[in-house]
Amino acid sequence: MSPPGADVDNRGTIAISYPLSIAGQLISPSGVTGTVTGNGTALPVAGLDVVGMVFDNTPLVSTGGTLARMDSATFQNMAPSATQLTINHPGGATPFSFTGVTFLTTPSGGFYIRANDTDTGDGQPLVINMIEAVPADGTPFEEELNGAV
């Protein structure tokens, strides 16, 4: 199932029991606190406009698309070997800022976040500022690829 995009206006839980991908941007409006729960299978999307979502045993992978925001999201009950949030993006003229993202599972073999600059020749690196993240310094559990910061 690959809907063109997903606008999640759900204050409950969305359970994913089989691989699912969203061909467009994942959108969660302000004031909506929904939970996406899964079986450890990553949820691929193309861009983020997320506020206040909980990803419960559901790693999130954004490839391309618009990175509008990723604020007040929580990643919980992840396998320690999982990469909880992956951003594959060509970067932009200004850094992307994600505010208040919380990671509740400490990785061992995995990462809180993996940032991958998908266009190293454009002179615009992928830069993601993690503001007020929990933990405050996740440096040992971050992976930056192809010049991403």
Side-chain angles (χ1 to χ4, degrees):
M1 184 168 146
S2 293
D7 189 347
V8 180
D9 189 359
N10 184 321
R11 288 159 181 82
T13 299
I14 298 170
I16 300 172
S17 58
Y18 59 90
L20 170 74
S21 65
I22 297 171
Q25 187 180 44
L26 178 62
I27 301 168
S28 170
S30 297
V32 173
T33 303
T35 299
V36 179
T37 185
N39 57 8
T41 302
L43 175 60
V45 301
L48 300 167
D49 189 357
V50 172
V51 176
M53 286 194 76
V54 175
F55 298 91
D56 188 340
N57 197 19
T58 307
L60 183 61
V61 178
S62 178
T63 301
T66 300
L67 296 177
R69 61 187 169 173
M70 181 65 172
D71 297 342
S72 302
T74 300
F75 292 84
Q76 66 186 26
N77 299 318
M78 300 289 180
S81 60
T83 296
Q84 299 174 38
L85 174 61
T86 301
I87 306 294
N88 299 306
H89 197 276
T94 59
F96 299 101
S97 294
F98 296 170
T99 302
V101 178
T102 299
F103 299 96
L104 297 178
T105 304
T106 302
S108 62
F111 298 96
Y112 291 130
I113 184 170
R114 174 181 289 139
N116 178 28
D117 187 337
T118 59
D119 188 354
T120 59
D122 67 358
Q124 296 180 333
L126 172 61
V127 178
I128 301 172
N129 293 326
M130 299 295 287
I131 301 165
E132 299 175 4
V134 175
D137 182 5
T139 304
F141 304 110
E142 299 171 3
E143 183 176 45
E144 294 92 10
L145 302 172
N146 299 316
V149 178

